[in-house]
Amino acid sequence: MSRLCLPISHYENKLYQKFMVDYHIIPTELWIGVRTNVEISCPIHKTKRPCWLQKIFNGRMSLWPCRQCYLDSLKFKINRDNSPTEELSL
């Protein structure tokens, strides 16, 4: 007996837990769970990214649901790494 697929809201909640953004999942084919081609809508940048949903939850080599959110996260890391350090007094 095959397992029933989880609803779309389950995966939207997982995206929120992982990226802290309320992404919306729009299936582009018959919904079969995590192995479905979808479009993920970003409410911040007003973009849609087509992808295979399982690639988002694939661990270390996963995709970000929104490319611009990914680029913004890199800017934040660069700015945080380049913060001024305390000068040593002689």
Side-chain angles (χ1 to χ4, degrees), residues 5 26 43 64 73 76-77 81 89:
C5 63
I26 305 160
W64 274 64
S73 74
F76 177 71
K77 286 181 184 176
D81 291 341
S89 58

Side-chain angles (χ1 to χ4, degrees), residues 4-57:
L4 294 174
C5 63
L6 296 171
I8 295 172
S9 60
H10 170 79
Y11 296 104
E12 288 177 340
N13 289 335
K14 290 286 186 184
L15 287 175
Y16 183 78
Q17 291 171 1
K18 189 172 183 179
F19 299 104
M20 301 307 278
V21 177
D22 192 23
Y23 294 112
H24 299 288
I25 298 173
I26 305 160
T28 57
E29 61 184 23
L30 179 64
W31 179 253
I32 55 174
V34 77
R35 292 185 169 100
T36 303
N37 285 315
V38 296
E39 283 186 344
I40 298 180
S41 170
C42 177
I44 297 170
H45 300 105
K46 309 292 188 231
T47 60
K48 290 183 181 178
R49 182 174 192 170
C51 66
W52 194 46
L53 189 57
Q54 188 169 6
K55 281 196 157 203
I56 302 294
F57 299 107

Side-chain angles (χ1 to χ4, degrees), residues 42-88:
C42 177
I44 297 170
H45 300 105
K46 309 292 188 231
T47 60
K48 290 183 181 178
R49 182 174 192 170
C51 66
W52 194 46
L53 189 57
Q54 188 169 6
K55 281 196 157 203
I56 302 294
F57 299 107
N58 200 19
R60 290 183 65 204
M61 301 302 288
S62 63
L63 294 174
W64 274 64
C66 173
R67 177 134 176 91
Q68 192 59 45
C69 287
Y70 170 69
L71 294 174
D72 290 348
S73 74
L74 292 178
K75 287 179 188 175
F76 177 71
K77 286 181 184 176
I78 290 171
N79 289 339
R80 187 175 58 184
D81 291 341
N82 291 337
S83 62
T85 57
E86 295 180 22
E87 293 182 19
L88 298 175

